[in-house]
């Protein structure tokens, strides 16, 4: 289990709610990283048996085993780097992602011609995902809004000989801005209301 972008649970009520949700749905063997984590955050996570990474890999964590990745409200660049680091059939099928609704990212950026060149992994993968949106909690509407459980269903990926899908442009150099957590706006708790456009 990998947790990225949780923020500071010792300093943020929303982060504490996200942590409580996370601890309700996960099992042991958890690794977490957020560039804003304080020593108090690290100590708090350790009390729950959560290990913290010492090195910022800017999202480029490769999946050697089936992994649940919890990435609440991360920037699109961080999702792109994480998916790129696992850009093989074998690794993508190991991933269960709880994070921002990736098809919604692409849908909201459809008017931006640069989306497919800047975020090719998300643009290509998003239409193939099964997406189950999480409900918005009435007391913490921002904590998990626009958040969904996402996975690649078996048989959905093209053959690895399909260069139009698997061949990627060169990746731009990472910087700390890639790791900044997006702050989503609140959305209404009424079911018909659309999710926040900032997700």
């Amino acid at each position: 289990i990998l947790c990225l972008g949780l923020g500071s649970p010792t300093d943020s009520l929303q982060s504490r709610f996200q942590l409580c949700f996370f601890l309700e749905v996960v099992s042991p063997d958890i690794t977490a990283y957020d560039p804003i984590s304080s020593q108090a955050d690290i100590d708090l996570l350790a009390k729950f048996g959560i290990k913290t990474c010492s090195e910022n890999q800017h999202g480029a964590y490769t999946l050697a085993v089936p992994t649940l990745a919890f990435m609440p409200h991360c920037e699109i660049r961080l999702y792109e780097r994480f998916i790129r680091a696992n850009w093989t059939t074998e690794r993508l099928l190991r991933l269960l992602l709880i994070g921002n609704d990736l098809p919604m990212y692409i849908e909201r950026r459809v008017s931006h011609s640069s989306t497919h060149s800047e975020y090719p992994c998300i643009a290509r993968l998003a239409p193939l995902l099964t997406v189950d949106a999480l409900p918005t909690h009435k007391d913490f509407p921002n904590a998990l809004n626009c958040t969904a459980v996402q996975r690649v269903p078996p048989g959905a990926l093209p053959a690895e000989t399909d260069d139009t899908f698997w061949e990627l442009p060169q990746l731009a150099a990472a910087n700390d801005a890639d790791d900044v957590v997006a702050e989503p706006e609140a959305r209404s708790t009424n079911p018909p209301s659309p999710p926040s456009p900032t997700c």
Side-chain angles (χ1 to χ4, degrees), residues 10-182:
T10 61
D11 195 45
S12 165
L13 189 61
Q14 300 295 340
S15 291
R16 286 198 291 278
F17 180 84
Q18 291 169 346
L19 176 60
C20 290
F21 165 80
F22 181 54
L23 293 172
E24 284 294 315
V25 299
V26 301
S27 60
D29 196 15
I30 304 166
T31 302
Y33 182 81
D34 195 298
I36 70 165
S37 291
S38 65
Q39 188 59 50
D41 294 321
I42 293 169
D43 294 342
L44 174 66
L45 295 177
K47 289 181 180 179
F48 292 107
I50 299 174
K51 302 183 295 284
T52 50
C53 300
S54 58
E55 180 186 355
N56 187 353
Q57 297 185 36
H58 300 283
Y61 300 87
T62 56
L63 306 182
V65 296
T67 301
L68 186 156
F70 183 53
M71 301 175 64
H73 303 317
C74 291
E75 287 286 343
I76 188 170
R77 292 185 299 273
L78 194 65
Y79 287 110
E80 178 69 21
R81 288 179 176 277
F82 178 60
I83 293 170
R84 179 184 280 261
N86 295 285
W87 197 241
T88 68
T89 298
E90 184 178 21
R91 288 178 180 168
L92 291 176
L93 291 177
R94 290 173 178 160
L95 173 63
L96 179 65
L97 173 66
I98 301 178
N100 289 59
D101 184 324
L102 297 184
M104 187 183 297
Y105 259 147
I106 299 305
E107 180 183 328
R108 294 193 186 283
R109 291 171 171 268
V110 72
S111 61
H112 301 281
S113 59
S114 62
T115 298
H116 286 261
S117 59
E118 288 182 39
Y119 313 110
C121 295
I122 294 176
R124 297 174 197 184
L125 189 65
L128 307 180
L129 295 172
T130 60
V131 179
D132 295 299
L134 296 179
T136 301
H137 194 281
K138 63 183 178 63
D139 296 325
F140 300 92
N142 288 342
L144 296 173
N145 71 316
C146 301
T147 303
V149 180
Q150 299 160 91
R151 66 179 179 83
V152 180
L157 294 169
E160 292 199 354
T161 54
D162 183 349
D163 290 342
T164 60
F165 184 86
W166 295 105
E167 190 70 27
L168 296 174
Q170 186 173 354
L171 183 65
N175 59 59
D176 289 340
D178 294 342
D179 304 331
V180 175
V181 175

